[in-house]
Amino acid sequence: MAGGDETRSKAKVKPVETSPTVPPAKDGTVDGNLHQLEAQHGILGIVLLLFCGTVSSYLCTYLPDALTVADLASHPTAFIAERAWDNLQVLNDFGPKPTGSRANELDAAGFLRREIEKVKATKHAAQRVVTEHQIVSGAYPIAFMGNPLTSVYRNAQNIVVKLAGSDDGGHALMLNCHYDTVASSPGASDDGGSCVVMLEILRVLSRAAERTKHSIVFLFNGAEETPLQAAHGFVSQHRWAAEVRAFLNLESAGSGGKEQLFQSGPQHPWLVAAYGRAVRHPAAQTASEEIFQSGLIPSDTDFRIFRDFGHVPGMDFAHTINGYRYHTRYDNIDYLTLPVLQRTGDNILALTREMANSEELARVGVDPTLAQGYSVYFDFLGFFFFHYSAATGRALNLAVAILSLIVPFLELRSSAKRVGERSIVREALVGLLGTGCGTVGSLGAVLLIANRLDATGRAMSWFSTPYLILGLYGCPVLLVHCFSHRLCNHLLEVKKTPLNLTQTIRSRLIGVNLFWALLIVALTLTNIRSAYIFTVILLFSLLSTILTSVLGYQRKTLRWLAVHLAFQVLAMLWATQFYHLLLKLFVPITGRMGAGTNPDYLIGVLVACVGILCTSYLFPLVGLLRQASELTARLIVFALIAFLLACCTQVGFPYRDESNGDPSVQRHYVTHTLQVARDGAGNVIEKSGFLLREMDRNALRVIRGVAKPDEVTPMRQMDTCRTMLFCGVPFYSIWHQIRFNNYWLDGPPPALEQATLPTFELARVSQLTSTSRQYTFSIGLRHQTSVQSALIIAPKAGVRLIKWSLMATVPDMVEFNGQRAHFVLITYGLANQPDWEVTFDFGYDLGNVQEADNLFDVNWINTYWEYTDHHTEQFDKLIEKFPEWAHVIPSVAVVNMTSY
């Protein structure tokens, strides 16, 4: 220990023998030799941390009570969750609503249009409500995970409502939701809940006696999951799109909780300022924005379309709690609550009123100063909301970093009578070393634990029981930090020092300040706005030092410790807030991130990072404990219990069915596939079977169990990888086929209604020049069914696609299985529309291509969703073999490869 000596002056003083503990003086001061507390105080520190974590967890999920129709008399202008809930029940009962399905194109769209007509019939006489039903076709280039594709949509639907403003001068705020869902999911949260919130906001505003200053456009789009297509149809082709100056996009990546503001702008800091003025229950973090835009989260929203193609600023909101249910059969109304709708409705209604009456909305596009600069914004446990410019944030970060070093040094230097300057600096460096080594060591420890759990087949043991994370990773992180500080104290302890133990510990806390200051400066200089997270932690330490100095507690150890811990309670509430936000977001995501990376690495690193955030100012206090071994022993026991639960009991099984009321399922995509290849001689080769996707780290074991007694073949080892373009895989989304592992199981061919298949027929070939040729194809769909088509066009050697009629540009090719090709995704909304012709112009080198040669290969792929009435008996039996805790998304696909 670095204590035990009395405070020394520069004059030589004869050492005095003292007992290990000295009672405090009557004035409350504590002699320098009272350097140790009882061991149980260390346990109390852990209890304090758990208490703060419990409080922040409660506040992160707290929701207000919902209003009912009975409250209308006392709240005539308020959002009424019960009315929105009634609408949601109808949308939920339609079941899954993928684009193209009758449930989406006819049932859901028809219901929304009828509800909007009711709104028009009950509006206030002062209001003007205009509706339009947009049926739109188009195409645009986009890239996901760095892979380019061409997104084509045919007859997608948008239901658009305009609530005219009093100053209807072509300036409008837009609210957007999507009523389509993925296959096999009713989409109560994603995104039916958002649509009924918008309906209720429209009702409330339309019944007001006064119009808002600016118009409000409500966009209910019917093709977002396809992905993001109907939003493009609106911003690129609807006449009201030119009036939109800002937007609010309502989304969901979970099933309940608070709607988080996780994207804003880009730039346009006035948006965040409006949010701060209007929203009663804030939930917003700049860190969420930077995490989402980093690509760590495998999702996207219409925000991207409005930003990139509409060039409109806006704000993106999403529910993220219970992401286990996202895109599964459990995203239904049974797992949603009225308070979720109430909180979302309260906030979005208030924000809509604020923005629709703001002066800034009319100046967007005219006043360039509005678009300048980024914002730093965050809430503190939902009680307080802070926002300021990124430039101000940089100044605050640097100021706090500098003051956190200067102020405690000067204050401690004064209390040490200027005799211990070098000792203060030395002990500060010891504190820095202990904190740095603890951080590096804890990262190494969690990575090692993650590796060993994965190697023993226990990956994701915490998936359904997140509390295990505290024992599996949290306790080892705390142990490593504890050992790090004790080791640095043991190796670098100085027996003769002018500092008593309390001053030594406070000097080491300056080292912790230095650790955070260095990190803050590095992040600030690289323009990472999320540095505010660490600035707040450092600010609490700085305020603690200032208050200690003001109250004169420098020489009163117990009082100083009380002030220090009081501010650390605030710091732990702040830090544990991020623990819950990150873990509640990323734990469910590990169930859909594929098997290529061990998800325990991600969770372990998150815990290690939040662990140092929570406890960096606690572990230097270990030096005050009489016996730190009791603390470490209990942490070891907690960790061992967690390991036993994870590895030896059912608690560590990752998945749960709905029997406990809180399902957390394993996801499986299974596609019954027919592959048809036609060679240049007209020969037809057919192969059929089932394609199974590995969605998480444990999926392969389940896939192999379901396939028994047969064996599954890894996708890139399929026979068709040598004979067909892109292995003959039924591509419908680049990221699922390229990023994830897929497995093939031979089987009989699927049952297909040939009359419902979209057609792709060669109409004519025209020789444009001696080195270019045009191919014209006819594409058509005559039945209302949920089917997506994909074109994979691979020019042969010496040939290139130089032009097509899909759009003005031809995007780059995507690579798969060593082959390069253009990828086109085609989504159909309303059917029974005339066939459409598409032309492809190819240029080629006469030295490599002869006049009669084929210029390119094409895979024409059609994937059916919600096709259960046509599943074969073998397909149904295969699906039934999956366990109850699995969520299976079945589809049927046919792949036709032809050379032209």
Side-chain angles (χ1 to χ4, degrees), residues 363-378:
R363 291 160 45 206
V364 174
V366 178
D367 184 353
T369 61
L370 287 178
Q372 294 174 359
Y374 289 88
S375 292
V376 176
Y377 55 89
F378 55 90

Side-chain angles (χ1 to χ4, degrees), residues 806-866:
L806 293 176
M807 58 185 184
T809 60
V810 179
D812 291 337
M813 292 187 283
V814 65
E815 184 172 342
F816 178 77
N817 192 39
Q819 300 167 315
R820 289 175 56 79
H822 300 279
F823 179 62
V824 181
L825 177 68
I826 306 173
T827 302
Y828 310 93
L830 288 170
N832 295 319
Q833 300 289 334
D835 292 356
W836 56 295
E837 288 193 343
V838 181
T839 60
F840 302 89
D841 294 358
F842 291 90
Y844 52 87
D845 183 358
L846 286 174
N848 296 326
V849 178
Q850 302 301 314
E851 184 176 347
D853 287 347
N854 291 325
L855 300 186
F856 59 100
D857 294 325
V858 169
N859 276 5
W860 173 243
I861 303 163
N862 291 289
T863 302
Y864 288 89
W865 304 102
E866 294 302 317

Side-chain angles (χ1 to χ4, degrees), residues 56 106 109 114 349 352 367 371 473 542 554 624 799 802 870 890:
S56 62
L106 303 180
R114 290 192 298 274
L349 175 58
T352 299
D367 184 353
Y473 294 111
L542 177 60
Q554 298 93 325
L624 292 173
V799 181
I802 57 176
H870 305 285

Side-chain angles (χ1 to χ4, degrees), residues 586-602:
F586 279 105
V587 166
I589 283 177
T590 60
R592 54 187 176 94
M593 64 186 294
T597 303
N598 179 5
D600 276 71
Y601 288 148
L602 171 63

Side-chain angles (χ1 to χ4, degrees), residues 90-91 93-114 157 159 179-181 222 753 756 781-787 828-832 864-867 869-870:
V90 177
L91 282 177
D93 290 345
F94 291 142
K97 299 172 282 295
T99 302
S101 66
R102 288 182 173 272
N104 189 67
E105 306 305 327
L106 303 180
D107 298 338
F111 168 73
L112 291 172
R113 292 169 68 184
R114 290 192 298 274
Q157 294 191 82
I159 299 167
Y179 57 87
D180 68 310
T181 74
E753 289 187 313
T756 69
L781 174 68
R782 299 175 182 85
H783 291 264
Q784 192 67 65
T785 185
S786 181
V787 60
Y828 310 93
L830 288 170
N832 295 319
Y864 288 89
W865 304 102
E866 294 302 317
Y867 204 61
D869 291 343
H870 305 285

Side-chain angles (χ1 to χ4, degrees), residues 14-32:
K14 182 178 179 180
V16 179
E17 294 292 329
T18 61
S19 62
T21 60
V22 178
K26 292 182 180 180
D27 64 355
T29 63
V30 179
D31 188 274

